[in-house]
Amino acid sequence: EVQPVESGGGLVQAGESLRLSCDASGFTFDRIGIGWFRQAPGKEREGVSCIISNDGSTYYADSVKGRFTISSDNAKRTVYLQMDSLKPEDTAVYYCAAEPRLYGSRCLGQWEYDYWGQGTQVTVSS
């Protein structure tokens, strides 16, 4: 089964940066939505950011606006999540999800996606 593949997680200190990558090369990048989600221990999975491939529209959760930036290299079929000014509360497993023909702010909704990666751990120490 085709699925996106995350990479780039790790352990950093508060205030530092990380860049996550989502390899979605198994998908056609024509009107596809790629989303980043995260799940901290004991909490529900939440939408972090997403991008729509055909027009580059981006969406962010309020908790990460101004700190995280999502971008897409359509030629490489890879989506990046640049995370700056990281906080301990950003600690979670981060998942990449892909869904063809997705559009608009719906891409922040986890129930819109059928294709999920295995996740990558991000730990921010204080």
Side-chain angles (χ1 to χ4, degrees):
E1 179 178 301
V2 176
Q3 66 180 127
V5 179
E6 308 94 337
S7 61
L11 171 63
V12 297
Q13 293 188 334
E16 294 185 341
S17 300
L18 273 177
R19 189 177 79 157
L20 305 182
S21 298
C22 174
D23 179 353
S25 56
F27 297 88
T28 300
F29 259 50
D30 178 23
R31 199 187 290 276
I32 189 170
I34 302 288
W36 284 100
F37 298 82
R38 66 186 181 186
Q39 187 167 21
K43 295 188 177 181
E44 294 188 355
R45 187 162 57 188
E46 62 175 351
V48 175
S49 182
C50 58
I51 188 167
I52 305 300
S53 65
N54 66 318
D55 63 6
S57 300
T58 59
Y59 303 87
Y60 297 92
D62 288 343
S63 59
V64 305
K65 281 181 181 176
R67 299 189 299 121
F68 290 10
T69 304
I70 192 169
S71 61
S72 176
D73 184 334
N74 287 0
K76 295 182 178 180
R77 301 182 187 180
T78 299
V79 170
Y80 305 98
L81 185 68
Q82 177 67 40
M83 305 186 295
D84 299 321
S85 302
L86 281 162
K87 304 175 181 180
E89 51 264 43
D90 294 318
T91 295
V93 177
Y94 283 70
Y95 298 92
C96 176
E99 185 61 34
R101 297 177 297 280
L102 191 59
Y103 61 92
S105 60
R106 292 168 55 192
C107 67
L108 275 177
Q110 61 175 309
W111 307 115
E112 300 287 345
Y113 292 86
D114 290 322
Y115 304 95
W116 290 83
Q118 296 298 310
T120 185
Q121 177 70 46
V122 172
T123 303
V124 185
S125 62
S126 58

